[in-house]
Amino acid sequence: MTTIDWDAAAGSFDEEPDHGLHDPAVRDAWAGRLESWLPATRSDVLDLGCGTGSLSLLAAGQGHRVTAVDRSPGMAELARAKLAGTGAEVLVGDACLPPVGERAFDVILARHVVWLLPDPAAALHHWFGLLKPGGRLVLVEGVWGGVGLPAARITALLAPHTERVHHEDLAGDARLWGKAVDDERYALVARAEPPTATPRSSTSISSCAGARTSCSPAEPARVTRTGCCTCLPVMRRTGRTSARR
């Protein structure tokens, strides 16, 4: 686990193009991705490790009801200022155990958070318990500068909770980062649908012609600007049931 003084980092946090989203091209790139990951209808979104609230602001702007959580009071203060007038709620608390009581959410969003957690498996277990049936967990992670978590590692941690995981490569879209990158950066979207006792047959959906199709069998295919994606079946032993309790 990496320890960072986020209060000390808060003042300069938004200087990174993908943090502050000051550049309209970067902001539009993240807005397009977020629109493809979140439900088309107004939903309850929990943004964990929200930082200064840039993604929360995009989600609120797309009509969603947003609750943002960060353990850093400095980050939370900046997020409240950024989200003023949107109706979003900003709370100070631990992303592993967010202070939301018995509330349930349609979406839990966490960008560059899981790699920092002392026990990612326990946090993911708790997060799935905060989702409404059929809700979705959206994780943006990567491996950069020798730190982070590869997609295969997090996909394995998601296996007890979901039937399949949608993987989306983000490294190839320089607009998201304000520059070209050559490391592993990705998004994972997992539904709160406990796996069946016997794995289903594999289903893989991908498009490399500049369009993406939805991985969810419950939704019609949607063409977006987000590039390539793959829907990955989660491999597990037979006889296992949901880890949600």
Side-chain angles (χ1 to χ4, degrees):
M1 181 185 70
T2 301
T3 301
I4 299 172
D5 185 344
W6 293 110
D7 281 328
S12 60
F13 188 76
D14 278 357
E15 293 175 5
E16 288 293 325
D18 59 306
H19 292 171
L21 308 186
H22 298 306
D23 184 330
V26 176
R27 184 170 60 251
D28 288 349
W30 280 104
R33 295 279 178 166
L34 203 62
E35 186 176 18
S36 74
W37 299 331
L38 301 183
T41 57
R42 192 181 192 203
S43 303
D44 294 308
V45 176
L46 177 61
D47 183 5
L48 296 177
C50 68
T52 61
S54 293
L55 291 189
S56 288
L57 183 62
L58 292 180
Q62 293 174 7
H64 299 290
R65 295 178 292 267
V66 177
T67 301
V69 176
D70 203 282
R71 70 179 304 166
S72 161
M75 290 286 191
E77 181 179 358
L78 292 173
R80 286 193 189 97
K82 188 177 291 186
L83 291 162
T86 67
E89 180 182 19
V90 180
L91 304 173
V92 175
D94 191 343
C96 296
L97 296 169
V100 294
E102 298 299 315
R103 295 162 61 186
F105 298 86
D106 300 294
V107 180
I108 292 178
L109 170 67
R111 182 174 69 161
H112 300 161
V113 172
V114 177
W115 75 282
L116 291 165
L117 302 179
D119 189 345
L124 292 172
H125 175 87
H126 185 67
W127 294 353
F128 271 98
L130 295 175
L131 285 171
K132 299 175 184 178
R136 62 190 76 177
L137 177 64
V138 180
L139 304 176
V140 178
E141 293 291 336
V143 180
W144 53 90
V147 299
L149 291 172
R153 170 62 177 152
I154 298 183
T155 299
L157 294 176
L158 294 170
H161 309 284
T162 190
E163 195 65 49
R164 65 192 64 205
V165 177
H166 164 70
H167 173 277
E168 197 164 304
D169 173 64
L170 303 181
D173 189 348
R175 300 174 307 155
L176 293 168
W177 318 107
K179 60 184 177 182
V181 298
D182 59 4
D183 42 27
E184 183 181 7
R185 305 189 187 197
Y186 59 88
L188 299 176
V189 182
R191 293 276 189 164
E193 297 171 345
T196 55
T198 302
R200 299 176 185 172
S201 59
S202 170
T203 299
S204 178
I205 304 175
S206 64
S207 173
C208 293
R212 186 178 76 76
T213 55
S214 170
C215 289
S216 170
E219 296 181 350
R222 293 183 295 162
V223 178
T224 73
R225 298 173 295 162
T226 57
C228 302
C229 80
T230 305
C231 192
L232 305 173
V234 178
M235 303 306 296
R236 59 181 64 82
R237 294 190 297 271
T238 59
R240 177 177 287 184
T241 57
S242 168
R244 293 182 64 194
R245 289 174 173 82

